[in-house]
Amino acid sequence: MVRAHYDNEPLLRLAGEIHFDTELSRAEVRAAARVYGDRPPDLVYLPCAGTLRHAAPLLAEGVRQVIAVDLSGPSLNAGLGRNVSAGLRSRVIVYQGDVRDAGQVLPDEGVRMVLLGGNSLGDITTRAGDQQFLHALARSLSPGGVLVFDYVSDRYLPAGTGPETSEWPQVWHGPKGDVDVVDRRTRTCRPLGTSGMALLSIRCEILDQHGRRPLVPAHTYSKLVVPDALLKEQFAEAGLELTNVGPVAEWSDYHRDRIDRVGDLGMMGEPDCWYRAVRP
């Protein structure tokens, strides 16, 4: 499911897709450094790196090398072509594969900083896979190492019991040129058994802005929703001490200003929080 979503070529054609929003990515890296609590170390690990949008900003902040891991080949290739200049590529180690297998490209002693961006914590949507994912992240850290990540958790559940729809104006780089479109996301949710978690299903439609005709087949992806109290327990089981340090807008002037002015960050907006997990 994860690979199918991120390999979805029409989504990569959306001009406003956050994967290609350089200013946003720079602001996220600056905020992540504040959450980390110090200047980023020489080596930073990016699990679920997607289109490598955080790699160049990390290097600009003084990081010497980035290790980026993701399942999606098209996302990594798009990022190498667009987000990492030729002069920086020798400083970015790219591995297409499962984060659970990332030990083969990580140092044996672990890393001091891991940055997991884009609400990627919710991408593994089974209970067993979720726990394996957390343990893999814990193994990647050296003692005293810090995992910094953003997560919406249960704050992006539909307000009522039925579906909830949000829409944004967008530009889609179609095969015949740019088209003004509407990006429509419809969210529904169901409990995941008795686990206390939920599965959020998001249907994405790219529609002609005038006639509202679908331009590409509708696409559905899922996110795992774990409430904060349960999330803290799960991290403790993986050997990590977790703290929710507050909404993204409290850590970034850019986010606060953009939310106030434009409000186009959607589910990545004000309800999104930064988290800090430390391996003792």
Side-chain angles (χ1 to χ4, degrees), residues 100 129-141 234-240:
R100 292 169 292 187
D130 176 55
Q131 284 301 97
Q132 292 169 6
F133 185 34
L134 295 187
H135 281 272
L137 293 174
R139 288 195 303 272
S140 72
L141 289 167
Q234 292 179 344
F235 270 79
E237 290 175 6
L240 299 173

Side-chain angles (χ1 to χ4, degrees), residues 25-36:
S25 299
R26 288 172 179 163
E28 288 176 345
V29 164
R30 289 193 295 268
R34 293 183 63 198
V35 175
Y36 174 69

Side-chain angles (χ1 to χ4, degrees), residues 54-182:
H54 293 123
L58 280 168
L59 297 175
E61 290 294 317
V63 173
R64 293 187 179 180
Q65 190 169 62
V66 171
I67 298 176
V69 176
D70 200 276
L71 276 173
S72 173
S75 290
L76 292 172
N77 288 333
L80 285 171
R82 184 166 180 173
N83 291 333
V84 181
S85 66
L88 296 178
R89 287 176 193 166
S90 64
R91 297 167 62 189
V92 181
I93 297 173
V94 176
Y95 172 68
Q96 183 189 351
D98 196 312
V99 168
R100 292 169 292 187
D101 301 326
Q104 56 191 295
V105 292
L106 293 171
D108 292 340
E109 66 274 17
V111 299
R112 289 171 51 200
M113 181 180 180
V114 177
L115 173 57
L116 177 70
N119 274 278
S120 299
L121 192 75
D123 284 347
I124 310 299
T125 55
T126 66
R127 294 173 64 182
D130 176 55
Q131 284 301 97
Q132 292 169 6
F133 185 34
L134 295 187
H135 281 272
L137 293 174
R139 288 195 303 272
S140 72
L141 289 167
S142 60
V146 179
L147 162 65
V148 178
F149 66 96
D150 61 333
Y151 188 46
V152 181
S153 183
D154 54 359
R155 289 173 290 275
Y156 62 179
L157 291 178
T161 57
E164 185 172 292
T165 298
S166 302
E167 295 184 350
W168 300 272
Q170 272 279 20
V171 174
W172 185 59
H173 300 312
K176 297 182 179 180
D178 289 352
V179 181
D180 291 330
V181 299
V182 169

Side-chain angles (χ1 to χ4, degrees), residues 129-259:
D130 176 55
Q131 284 301 97
Q132 292 169 6
F133 185 34
L134 295 187
H135 281 272
L137 293 174
R139 288 195 303 272
S140 72
L141 289 167
S142 60
V146 179
L147 162 65
V148 178
F149 66 96
D150 61 333
Y151 188 46
V152 181
S153 183
D154 54 359
R155 289 173 290 275
Y156 62 179
L157 291 178
T161 57
E164 185 172 292
T165 298
S166 302
E167 295 184 350
W168 300 272
Q170 272 279 20
V171 174
W172 185 59
H173 300 312
K176 297 182 179 180
D178 289 352
V179 181
D180 291 330
V181 299
V182 169
D183 180 354
R184 176 187 290 168
R185 308 282 172 114
T186 301
R187 291 171 283 155
T188 56
C189 188
R190 63 175 176 83
L192 194 61
T194 59
S195 66
M197 299 183 283
L199 195 63
L200 182 71
S201 178
I202 304 170
R203 178 181 171 88
C204 174
E205 299 171 277
I206 302 172
L207 308 170
D208 177 83
Q209 192 176 45
H210 305 291
R212 296 299 176 94
R213 297 179 298 103
L215 298 183
V216 298
H219 171 66
T220 300
Y221 60 100
S222 298
K223 287 279 188 180
L224 184 67
V225 176
V226 186
D228 270 13
L230 180 56
L231 194 67
K232 192 166 187 176
E233 292 178 10
Q234 292 179 344
F235 270 79
E237 290 175 6
L240 299 173
E241 298 174 354
L242 178 69
T243 305
N244 180 339
V245 298
V248 294
E250 294 181 3
W251 292 88
S252 167
D253 292 341
Y254 173 83
H255 282 75
R256 183 165 53 250
D257 179 64
R258 181 162 163 174
I259 290 167

